[in-house]
Amino acid sequence: QVQLVESGGGLVQAGGSLRLSCAASGRTFGISVMGWFRQAPGKEREFVAKISRSGGITDYADSVKGRFTISRDNAKNTVYLQMNSLKPEDTAVYYCAADPKQRFLYSDNGYDYWGQGTQVTVSS
């Protein structure tokens, strides 16, 4: 079992930055692929970024490449999402997710555990 709690969301102007954190409890964090997803109002949840259990492999949605960086600290059981050059279209609820089976998928079907989400609002 993995329990996830996101933090760090808020209101920021376009061009600004935010750093999201996802604190995990449970013994499987260290072996889990971790992902960030987001869901804007009226839209389906979409993949943002993922990171392998060691942190050595990362991948991003095209819409955030070059602006967002995913990282993890296994000693602290925490995964991060550094978001720079934010745009109004980045406005969404951001969720972290864990996949102890290490499938490393883009689909949210590939993640077994989810946090409750943190709101990010980017004003123009």
Side-chain angles (χ1 to χ4, degrees):
Q1 290 280 349
V2 179
Q3 295 173 330
L4 305 172
V5 178
E6 302 95 337
S7 62
L11 173 64
V12 64
Q13 287 188 332
S17 298
L18 283 174
R19 188 196 197 200
L20 305 183
S21 299
C22 174
S25 61
R27 289 183 287 180
T28 56
F29 175 82
I31 65 167
S32 295
V33 168
M34 298 298 296
W36 284 98
F37 289 76
R38 66 187 181 186
Q39 187 167 21
K43 295 187 177 181
E44 293 187 353
R45 187 161 57 188
E46 64 175 2
F47 166 77
V48 175
K50 57 183 176 177
I51 188 166
S52 62
R53 66 174 184 171
S54 69
I57 302 172
T58 59
D59 201 1
Y60 300 89
D62 288 343
S63 59
V64 307
K65 258 178 204 174
R67 301 188 297 122
F68 290 11
T69 302
I70 188 171
S71 61
R72 67 190 295 164
D73 185 337
N74 286 345
K76 296 182 178 179
N77 277 15
T78 303
V79 64
Y80 305 97
L81 186 68
Q82 177 67 44
M83 306 186 296
N84 298 329
S85 302
L86 283 161
K87 304 175 181 179
E89 51 263 44
D90 294 318
T91 295
V93 177
Y94 283 71
Y95 300 90
C96 71
D99 172 23
K101 299 174 186 172
Q102 301 175 45
R103 290 163 288 188
F104 209 62
L105 299 179
Y106 294 99
S107 169
D108 56 5
N109 291 333
Y111 295 80
D112 297 317
Y113 302 100
W114 292 83
Q116 292 186 323
T118 185
Q119 176 71 46
V120 171
T121 304
V122 184
S123 63
S124 57

